[in-house]
Structures are given as structure tokens and as C-alpha cells.
Amino acid sequence: MNNNKMFEPLSIGKLRLKNRIAMAPMTRGRAGKERVPNDLMAEYYVQRAGAGLLITEATVISNQGIGWIDSPGIFTDAMVEGWRKVTEKVKPTGTPIFLQLWHCGRASHSDFHDGNLPVSASAVKLNGDNIHTPLGSKPYENPRPLTVEEIKATVNDYRKAAENAKAAGFSGIEVHGANGYLINQFLDATTNHREDQYGGSIENRFRFFKEVLEAVLEVWPPDQVGARISPNGVFNDMGCDDYRELFLYVTKEPLAKCSV
Ligand SMILES: Cc1cc2nc3c(=O)[nH]c(=O)nc-3n(C[C@H](O)[C@H](O)[C@H](O)COP(=O)(O)O)c2cc1C
């Protein structure tokens, strides 16, 4: 008898997964300069809909969030329409598809932002190999810390992106809090040197992530919201001494509201 549960269905809240295989989010860079999802991307996702759950490649929530060549976005009408083509093709397979929401923060370059510096929690440069920008391979730059007003505006960008994901026909969303991107840059003490309510204590460093989650949870019910973290991950020059306390805190009450 086959006792392997991998291919058995699973219910998570309202979601019905036909098996227990989930496709991890993977950046492809196929959306072109306009960052609008296209037929090739629809074909790519439908080819993978044998999985019980699809999580899309990271998708930028705003112009300011950009940091990767030709990655898709979810902040214009054309992007919403492009993603709708993807979700409509996946829908008949019965596999739920979640959109991963992304802001690169300092893992970006002024070449993506008309010469303006990328933003982060604090002015801490990513020490690493060069970044590929539309103008070539360039060293990372010292990012500009976001003001409190800009933080609030960024939270609002996440809310709008969550609304756009709904309009595009997704089954849910995943907030990308992992792998050294903006949310992770707020979480880690190494990249967050702020002295306001968004820095210092673990509670303060978590505040931006918490506000983002609260904003998207106004748009989607908890069983259709995921959050990705990478405790003690080192990708993008990350890692901090108090990661155990930090991620134990993060995974307790606030993230427990999300189910995937
Ligand atoms: C080419 C590539 C693109 C990736 N893009 C994303 C992404 O967009 N979002 C994300 O959260 N993780 C991304 N990842 C990380 C993967 O989801 C996964 O966590 C990583 O490959 C480790 O998985 P493994 O332990 O099964 O090898 C990417 C990884 C690779 C290799």
C-alpha cells in the first residue's frame, strides 16, 4: 500500500489543493521592459499546474520596488490585464495561484530609478557582486533611508498591489519578507539602524512588515494571504546576531494570522 501523502488532497482554509506539492516563487525575468505578464508566462504557469499550489515569481508593487531586469509588476492596468491572462489559463486546472508581492529595497540600483538612489530602512550598502541593471553590470550603491511618510506610502502600495491581485483573478497573495529585500532589510538589525518607531527593538523592526500584513489583510481573508521569511538567510548580504529572537517573535502572533 502506498502511504505517501504527497499526492493526496489537502485543505487549507478555503483552499483545496489537489496534492501537497507547492511550487516555490522563482524570478524569471520574462515580462519585458514594461513588466507586463505575457502569453509565454501564462504557458509557463499552466505547464506547472500539476502542483497543488503555485506561487508566482516575485512581482514588484511599485516603480520604487524595482530591482531586477524584466521582472513583472502589479501596479498598472496593463499589468493587471497581463496577469489576468495567466490566472484565466491556470483556473481550469483547479490549482490555486498566489501572487508574490515584492519590493527590492537596496537590492536595486539608480539605473532602475532615473538616477535616484534605491531605498532601504537605513543607508547600509549591500556588499556583494555587481548588480545587473539595464545599463550593465554595476557595483551596489548606498541606499537612501525611507522617511516615515514614505514608509506609509509604501504600505499603501502593498495594499493597492493586493487589490490589483484580486482584480487580476489570483487565488491569494504572498508577501515577500525573505531573501534580503525591503521587508527583510527592516527586520535585520544589520540593515536597520533607524532610531524612530521602525528601528531598534525587534518590535520596532517588525513594525513595517506588520503594517504591510495588516494592509493586505484588509483586502484578502487570512487563508488567502501568505508571508515568506528566511530566518538567518545570507542571500543579498543579510544575517543578524539576534535572528533567533527576531524570527521567533515574527512567527508568533502576527504572522500566525496568515495561513500559507
Ligand atoms: C532562479 C531563482 C529565482 C528565485 N526567485 C525567487 C523569488 O522570486 N521569490 C522568492 O521568494 N524566492 C525566490 N527564489 C528562492 C527559491 O524560491 C527557493 O527558496 C530556493 O531556490 C531554495 O530552494 P531549495 O532549498 O528547494 O533549493 C529563487 C531561486 C532561484 C534559484
Side-chain angles (χ1 to χ4, degrees), residues 20-213:
R20 293 151 192 237
I21 299 166
M23 180 172 142
M26 274 177 291
T27 295
R28 313 308 301 143
R30 291 174 169 172
K33 284 188 178 33
E34 301 304 318
R35 302 179 184 275
V36 173
N38 50 42
D39 292 340
L40 176 64
M41 289 168 61
E43 188 186 343
Y44 167 84
Y45 283 107
V46 84
Q47 282 169 342
R48 285 151 182 83
L53 174 67
L54 296 177
I55 303 177
T56 70
E57 62 212 272
T59 297
V60 282
I61 57 155
S62 63
N63 259 318
Q64 192 198 60
I66 292 171
W68 200 282
I69 292 175
D70 293 355
S71 69
I74 186 76
F75 56 90
T76 68
D77 290 347
M79 291 165 180
V80 172
E81 285 313 306
W83 276 121
R84 197 198 304 275
K85 278 190 205 164
V86 177
T87 62
E88 278 177 4
K89 204 150 183 193
V90 170
K91 204 170 279 166
T93 68
T95 291
I97 177 167
F98 275 44
L99 182 71
Q100 192 186 50
L101 303 184
W102 195 26
H103 189 308
C104 294
R106 69 171 186 163
S108 182
H109 191 276
S110 55
D111 285 355
F112 288 107
H113 305 287
D114 301 322
N116 297 311
L117 285 175
V119 298
S120 186
S122 300
V124 182
K125 189 161 70 115
L126 194 162
N127 282 313
D129 295 339
N130 281 4
I131 177 168
H132 294 284
T133 87
L135 304 179
S137 173
K138 305 270 185 85
Y140 282 99
E141 299 161 314
N142 220 11
R144 178 178 69 77
L146 285 166
T147 65
V148 170
E149 213 169 57
E150 288 172 318
I151 292 173
K152 302 284 181 201
T154 307
V155 170
N156 207 36
D157 289 338
Y158 275 97
R159 181 187 290 105
K160 276 190 258 161
E163 286 165 0
N164 287 344
K166 212 169 211 184
F170 281 99
S171 323
I173 53 161
E174 180 181 82
V175 177
H176 194 350
N179 302 349
Y181 296 106
L182 183 66
I183 289 173
N184 201 176
Q185 292 159 29
F186 271 84
L187 290 176
D188 277 22
T190 319
T191 42
N192 184 343
H193 299 171
R194 300 180 73 95
E195 292 177 356
D196 59 12
Q197 68 270 39
Y198 291 96
S201 66
I202 284 175
E203 191 184 355
N204 280 357
R205 279 147 52 199
F206 180 64
R207 192 176 309 281
F208 173 56
F209 198 3
K210 180 167 175 272
E211 288 179 358
V212 169
L213 289 171

Side-chain angles (χ1 to χ4, degrees), residues 209-229:
F209 198 3
K210 180 167 175 272
E211 288 179 358
V212 169
L213 289 171
E214 284 168 354
V216 301
L217 283 164
E218 283 168 20
V219 181
W220 289 90
D223 54 1
Q224 287 163 279
V225 174
R228 189 168 213 207
I229 52 171

